[in-house]
């Protein structure tokens, strides 16, 4: 029974922790106004590196803010305040903006930095949990991340206060993105290895190469040679092209099976590729985004597993399989 009671208490405390965080963020969102807008404009207008700083758990929030700003088009860096006092302060350029995060607003290491920052004419945007803290008084712009209590049962461990600071930090980054009219294509350029980056940047030509050695068969090829070509191609299909290399059709494994079912062996011997192929098949262009090709293959009543790839002159450049697109992380 004691174990059951403890488990119930743990689950209930976890729920209360999350509800407290949600209520805190809602309250803070309603306070965003003139100071928040001024901070987003200051960050957006800054032509130097944006610097974030903090100690302990606040330092983690500052690191995350620097990473978010950088990934959304505003180059930023985290500066450890202790290291700054021993040479790393050189990263702060005159006119740069420093975003300092401290729940108490009285973190000694950050306060020790302020004279040097003022000397470099680097304005401070402070995020603190106390309105009249020393750091708030020394800052050009102060954003209040006040909380009623920590989620910690002892009201000691930084929990809700960190969620509050993180919420304001993320709101700053989003505001700067809006000022900059930051678009998904720009985000993708900064995230080439991510799924969104691949969706917005990876093109079919990146998957098939230059296509100059694209294999295809002629429409007059006999059935036996068509079988050999499909087997050698290992794509489950083969393109059919005219004498200039323009696409006129495609023959898939399915076309071969249907031919075997519908015709006798004696008829197969006299069949040519043009009588088996699917003329004017669904295609994709080499400059097409890979994600668009995948959608073309999947969003059909009858899905297809391979697409011929052509250039704007309908010259055959190769083929792409749905397996290749999925494996590429689209």
């Amino acid at each position: 029974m004691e174990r059951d009671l403890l488990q119930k208490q743990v689950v209930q405390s976890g729920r209360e922790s999350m509800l407290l965080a949600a209520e805190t963020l809602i309250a803070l969102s309603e306070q965003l106004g003139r100071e928040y807008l001024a901070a987003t404009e200051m960050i957006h207008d800054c032509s130097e590196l944006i610097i974030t700083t903090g100690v302990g758990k606040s330092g983690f929030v500052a690191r995350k803010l620097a990473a978010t700003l950088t990934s959304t088009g505003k180059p930023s860096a985290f500066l450890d305040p202790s290291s700054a006092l021993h040479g790393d302060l050189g990263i702060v350029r005159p006119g740069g903006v420093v975003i300092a995060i401290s729940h108490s607003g009285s973190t000694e290491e950050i306060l020790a930095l302020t004279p040097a920052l003022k000397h470099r004419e680097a304005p401070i945007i402070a995020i603190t949990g106390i309105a009249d803290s020393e750091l708030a008084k020394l800052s050009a712009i102060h954003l209040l991340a006040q909380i009623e209590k920590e989620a910690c049962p002892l009201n000691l461990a930084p929990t809700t206060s960190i969620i509050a600071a993180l919420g304001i930090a993320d709101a700053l980054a989003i505001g700067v993105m809006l000022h900059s009219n930051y678009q998904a294509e720009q985000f993708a350029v900064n995230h080439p290895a991510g799924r969104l980056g691949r969706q917005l940047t990876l093109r079919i030509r990146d998957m098939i190469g230059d296509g100059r050695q694209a294999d295809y068969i002629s429409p007059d090829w006999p059935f036996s040679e068509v079988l050999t070509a499909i087997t050698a191609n290992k794509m489950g299909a083969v393109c059919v092209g005219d004498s200039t290399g323009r696409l006129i059709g495609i023959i898939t494994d399915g076309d071969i099976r249907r031919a075997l079912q519908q015709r006798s062996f004696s008829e197969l011997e006299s069949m040519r590729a043009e009588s088996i192929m699917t003329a004017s098949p669904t295609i994709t262009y080499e400059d097409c985004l890979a994600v668009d090709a995948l959608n073309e293959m999947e969003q059909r009543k009858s899905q297809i597993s391979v697409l011929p790839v052509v250039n704007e002159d309908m010259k055959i450049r190769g083929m792409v399989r749905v397996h290749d697109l999925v494996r590429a992380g689209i």
Side-chain angles (χ1 to χ4, degrees), residues 9-32:
Q9 290 176 337
V10 169
V11 171
Q12 182 61 29
S13 66
R15 291 172 177 169
E16 291 175 354
S17 170
M18 298 179 75
L19 286 172
L20 179 59
E23 291 167 358
T24 298
L25 290 175
I26 291 172
L28 289 175
S29 70
E30 295 171 350
Q31 297 175 17
L32 294 184

Side-chain angles (χ1 to χ4, degrees), residues 137-148:
K137 295 175 183 177
L138 293 170
S139 64
I141 298 174
H142 176 235
L143 300 174
L144 184 61
Q146 191 170 22
I147 65 170
E148 289 189 9

Side-chain angles (χ1 to χ4, degrees), residues 19-86:
L19 286 172
L20 179 59
E23 291 167 358
T24 298
L25 290 175
I26 291 172
L28 289 175
S29 70
E30 295 171 350
Q31 297 175 17
L32 294 184
R34 186 175 301 172
E35 289 290 292
Y36 163 73
L37 182 59
T40 60
E41 290 174 344
M42 178 180 287
I43 296 170
H44 171 259
D45 294 340
C46 180
S47 59
E48 299 292 341
L49 190 68
I50 302 297
I51 303 298
T52 68
T53 189
V55 175
K57 307 299 186 296
S58 294
F60 292 133
V61 177
R63 289 178 186 276
K64 195 270 183 184
L65 176 56
T68 301
L69 287 171
T70 298
S71 71
T72 53
K74 197 66 182 177
S76 308
F78 171 78
L79 176 63
D80 177 77
S82 298
S83 299
L85 295 172
H86 295 278

Side-chain angles (χ1 to χ4, degrees), residues 26 124 133 154:
I26 291 172
I124 299 173
S133 64
L154 303 176

Side-chain angles (χ1 to χ4, degrees), residues 14-307:
R15 291 172 177 169
E16 291 175 354
S17 170
M18 298 179 75
L19 286 172
L20 179 59
E23 291 167 358
T24 298
L25 290 175
I26 291 172
L28 289 175
S29 70
E30 295 171 350
Q31 297 175 17
L32 294 184
R34 186 175 301 172
E35 289 290 292
Y36 163 73
L37 182 59
T40 60
E41 290 174 344
M42 178 180 287
I43 296 170
H44 171 259
D45 294 340
C46 180
S47 59
E48 299 292 341
L49 190 68
I50 302 297
I51 303 298
T52 68
T53 189
V55 175
K57 307 299 186 296
S58 294
F60 292 133
V61 177
R63 289 178 186 276
K64 195 270 183 184
L65 176 56
T68 301
L69 287 171
T70 298
S71 71
T72 53
K74 197 66 182 177
S76 308
F78 171 78
L79 176 63
D80 177 77
S82 298
S83 299
L85 295 172
H86 295 278
D88 287 0
L89 189 62
I91 197 174
V92 182
R93 307 303 302 166
V97 172
V98 177
I99 305 172
I101 304 174
S102 168
H103 178 60
S104 68
S106 59
T107 305
E108 294 181 3
E109 295 90 338
I110 295 178
L111 293 178
L113 274 180
T114 56
L117 296 176
K118 288 186 177 295
H119 178 72
R120 291 171 180 262
E121 298 181 347
I124 299 173
I125 297 174
I127 301 176
T128 79
I130 300 176
D132 60 351
S133 64
E134 189 65 23
L135 182 58
K137 295 175 183 177
L138 293 170
S139 64
I141 298 174
H142 176 235
L143 300 174
L144 184 61
Q146 191 170 22
I147 65 170
E148 289 189 9
K149 63 177 182 178
E150 298 285 7
C152 166
L154 303 176
N155 195 29
L156 294 175
T159 46
T160 312
S161 59
I162 296 303
I163 295 295
L166 182 60
I168 290 180
D170 282 343
L172 280 176
I174 292 169
V176 173
M177 287 177 65
L178 290 175
H179 280 300
S180 304
N181 192 29
Y182 196 75
Q183 300 296 314
E185 290 75 13
Q186 295 168 277
F187 186 89
V189 170
N190 289 336
H191 299 74
R195 186 168 184 266
L196 176 61
R198 288 190 291 271
Q199 286 184 344
L200 294 176
T201 60
L202 185 66
R203 297 188 180 275
I204 293 297
R205 65 168 175 266
D206 300 323
M207 304 185 66
I208 65 169
D210 59 24
R212 286 178 294 183
Q213 302 300 319
D215 293 324
Y216 64 92
I217 65 175
S218 299
D220 59 350
W221 277 33
F223 183 77
S224 59
E225 293 186 20
V226 171
L227 282 176
T228 301
I230 287 184
T231 302
N233 205 22
K234 297 180 180 180
M235 296 284 285
V238 64
C239 290
V240 182
D242 63 17
S243 60
T244 67
R246 293 177 183 272
L247 180 73
I248 59 175
I250 186 173
I251 299 176
T252 67
D253 287 340
D255 294 320
I256 296 296
R257 287 194 298 272
R258 284 185 287 274
L260 290 171
Q261 291 173 342
Q262 297 168 4
R263 293 173 172 83
S264 65
F265 285 107
S266 59
E267 291 176 316
L268 291 175
E269 291 180 358
S270 61
M271 286 179 58
R272 302 295 170 178
E274 60 184 344
S275 63
I276 309 170
M277 72 180 188
T278 298
S280 302
T282 301
I283 62 171
T284 186
Y285 292 93
E286 60 183 348
D287 289 331
C288 178
L289 287 172
V291 67
D292 291 337
L294 181 61
N295 290 335
E296 178 67 35
M297 299 168 83
E298 292 187 328
Q299 295 177 6
R300 293 167 49 93
K301 291 183 179 180
S302 58
Q303 295 184 3
I304 53 180
S305 60
V306 62
L307 283 178

